[in-house]
């Protein structure tokens, strides 16, 4: 897979000015596929970029683990993200990545990620999804996440848990948990920023690329296995209320909407990602 982007990535060519990045984020049981992407640095600018404004706001908004941004702060970040363009993170609109491939690639297309900035309180990162690529159904424990679709068309499916973890009534015999469908729709850039919260807004979601896509994520706080914020993956099964006991039927009938049983599963093969170093417009941390 080759990606062309002004300031972030360019088509593979022999040059002393660029370097080749071959990196796999995690080793999984599936065969290793390597994404080969050329990167180059953008020139620095004297005035604050849109990305720098986003970074400064994140510094003020995210207070650390166990906290959720206020509605005012959420609106502040959304105002910045809603107007962000691909060029703000070094992407051009004429991407080789977005052009038809001359040959088919065997296997499931792999997602590529680039981290712009990461600290204890928040993380800024970009995900590149080839057409038909999937980021499988997964959760964001104790996190608030802002997702901005920069390029492409993507289908998003998202759920929230119906009740607390210790509910006896909302657990099926297979130990799946009842969840309410919050989103099941297709989005095309440019579109508004989506926001999910620790217990609402579609905390458990799945991305499927209809066309090649680029997504900017703002995650606060980041995943941390040591701090109990590890990523879990799920399989969803539609819930037919008539097949379950009276307690489940009562909850579904009272709340309305569509529901599914979510069963936690092992890490899917398609969740494996390749990582590249971010070399688009830089953020400058005065606290570093």
């Amino acid at each position: 897979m080759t990606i062309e982007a002004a300031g972030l990535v360019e088509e593979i060519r022999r040059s002393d000015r660029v370097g080749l990045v071959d990196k796999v984020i995690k080793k999984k049981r599936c065969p290793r596929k390597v994404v080969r992407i050329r990167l180059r640095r953008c020139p620095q600018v004297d005035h604050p970029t849109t990305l720098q404004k986003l970074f400064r706001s994140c510094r003020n908004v995210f207070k650390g683990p166990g906290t959720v941004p206020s509605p005012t702060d959420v609106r502040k970040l959304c105002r910045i993200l809603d107007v962000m363009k691909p060029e703000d993170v070094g992407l051009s609109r004429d991407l080789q990545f977005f052009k038809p491939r001359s040959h088919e690639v065997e296997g499931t297309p792999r997602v590529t990620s680039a981290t712009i900035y990461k600290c204890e309180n928040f993380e800024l990162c970009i995900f590149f999804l080839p057409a038909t690529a999937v980021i499988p159904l997964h959760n964001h424990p104790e996190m608030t996440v802002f997702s901005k679709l920069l390029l492409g068309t993507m289908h998003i499916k998202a759920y929230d848990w119906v009740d607390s973890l210790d509910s006896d009534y909302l657990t099926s015999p297979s130990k799946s948990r009842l969840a309410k469908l919050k989103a099941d729709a297709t989005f095309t850039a440019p579109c508004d920023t989506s926001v999910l919260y620790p217990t609402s807004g579609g905390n458990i979601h799945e991305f499927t690329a209809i066309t090649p896509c680029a997504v900017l994520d703002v995650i606060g706080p980041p995943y941390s296995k040591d701090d109990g914020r590890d990523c879990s993956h799920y399989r969803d099964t539609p819930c037919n209320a008539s097949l379950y006991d009276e307690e489940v039927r009562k909850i579904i009938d009272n709340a309305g909407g569509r529901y599914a049983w979510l069963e936690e599963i092992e890490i899917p093969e398609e969740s494996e990602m390749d990582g590249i170093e971010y070399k688009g417009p830089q953020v400058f941390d005065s606290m570093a």
Side-chain angles (χ1 to χ4, degrees), residues 49-62 77 80 84 116-119 122 124 218 282-288:
T49 63
T50 304
L51 183 61
Q52 182 67 21
K53 294 176 183 177
L54 174 66
F55 170 75
R56 290 175 180 173
S57 292
C58 287
R59 272 290 191 200
N60 294 326
V61 166
F62 292 103
L77 285 184
I80 298 173
M84 287 193 73
I116 299 172
Y117 179 87
K118 184 176 181 179
C119 65
F122 67 92
L124 306 177
V218 179
Q282 301 295 299
V283 296
F284 302 97
D285 187 2
S286 60
M287 299 177 64

Side-chain angles (χ1 to χ4, degrees), residues 176-227:
S176 299
R177 287 184 57 204
L178 189 64
K180 182 175 182 178
L181 187 67
K182 302 296 291 187
D184 188 14
T186 298
F187 300 86
T188 298
C191 56
D192 290 342
T193 304
S194 63
V195 186
L196 63 84
Y197 301 90
T199 59
S200 65
N203 184 277
I204 306 155
H205 65 189
E206 175 182 271
F207 291 166
T208 302
I210 307 302
T211 69
C213 297
V215 184
L216 172 63
D217 263 13
V218 179
I219 305 172
Y223 284 108
S224 173
K225 187 174 183 179
D226 292 340
D227 296 322

Side-chain angles (χ1 to χ4, degrees), residues 204-279:
I204 306 155
H205 65 189
E206 175 182 271
F207 291 166
T208 302
I210 307 302
T211 69
C213 297
V215 184
L216 172 63
D217 263 13
V218 179
I219 305 172
Y223 284 108
S224 173
K225 187 174 183 179
D226 292 340
D227 296 322
R229 296 190 304 277
D230 197 11
C231 183
S232 297
H233 292 82
Y234 300 90
R235 178 187 299 114
D236 57 339
T237 303
C239 174
N240 184 343
S242 64
L243 300 179
Y244 299 98
D245 61 34
E246 183 179 355
E247 292 294 341
V248 172
R249 291 200 304 271
K250 185 182 300 182
I251 291 169
I252 293 175
D253 291 340
N254 289 342
R258 292 175 290 174
Y259 292 81
W261 293 109
L262 301 190
E263 178 186 0
E264 187 170 348
I265 60 174
E266 295 294 325
I267 300 174
E269 290 185 358
E270 57 267 38
S271 69
E272 183 177 4
M273 297 184 187
D274 293 297
I276 60 172
E277 182 182 0
Y278 173 77
K279 290 188 177 180

